Amino acid sequence: MTTAREIMTPDATCIGAEDSILEAAKKMTDLGVGALPICGSDERLKGMLTDRDIVVKVLGAGKDPATCMAGEFAQGEAVTIGADDDAAEILRTMAEHKVRRLPVIDGHTLVGLVAQADVARALPDPQVGELLEALSN
């Protein structure tokens, strides 16, 4: 069965918890991505920051992206997947938590990200359809 390690985008770039939202937005732009893992000074995953978080929770709320820190948007324990977890676990976790991106962890080390698009490319259409339905409800 296909594992997270086989379909993930490797070498996920983190934004530091003490980095500003403005820095995060610039990094997203440079990398062409819509989400970044938030990592603490201990290099441990603290959460995920999305472009939607920036628009809704910072800009839409009238906050200054240069003074808001990424760590403010780490919402409890991040939902993750193990590098050797199989596709069924990826689908279950994404559907259960209604997330489109999962950080991939090997031990305590962030090794990549699995996005909904990665799943769509790697798995049969019926499984992808079930995931899309679960995320849309």
Side-chain angles (χ1 to χ4, degrees), residues 98-131:
K98 297 209 180 281
V99 295
R100 294 174 177 1
R101 301 169 187 95
L102 284 173
V104 180
I105 305 294
D106 191 355
H108 292 290
T109 305
L110 177 68
V111 295
L113 284 174
V114 171
Q116 182 178 338
D118 299 321
V119 173
R121 282 189 293 271
L123 300 179
D125 288 343
Q127 288 180 303
V128 173
E130 290 170 16
L131 174 62

Side-chain angles (χ1 to χ4, degrees), residues 43-66:
E43 294 301 315
R44 294 218 178 195
L45 183 67
K46 304 296 183 195
M48 289 291 291
L49 178 69
T50 67
D51 48 7
R52 188 174 197 288
D53 292 330
I54 293 171
V55 171
V56 173
K57 296 176 183 174
V58 179
L59 301 176
K63 297 179 180 177
D64 180 359

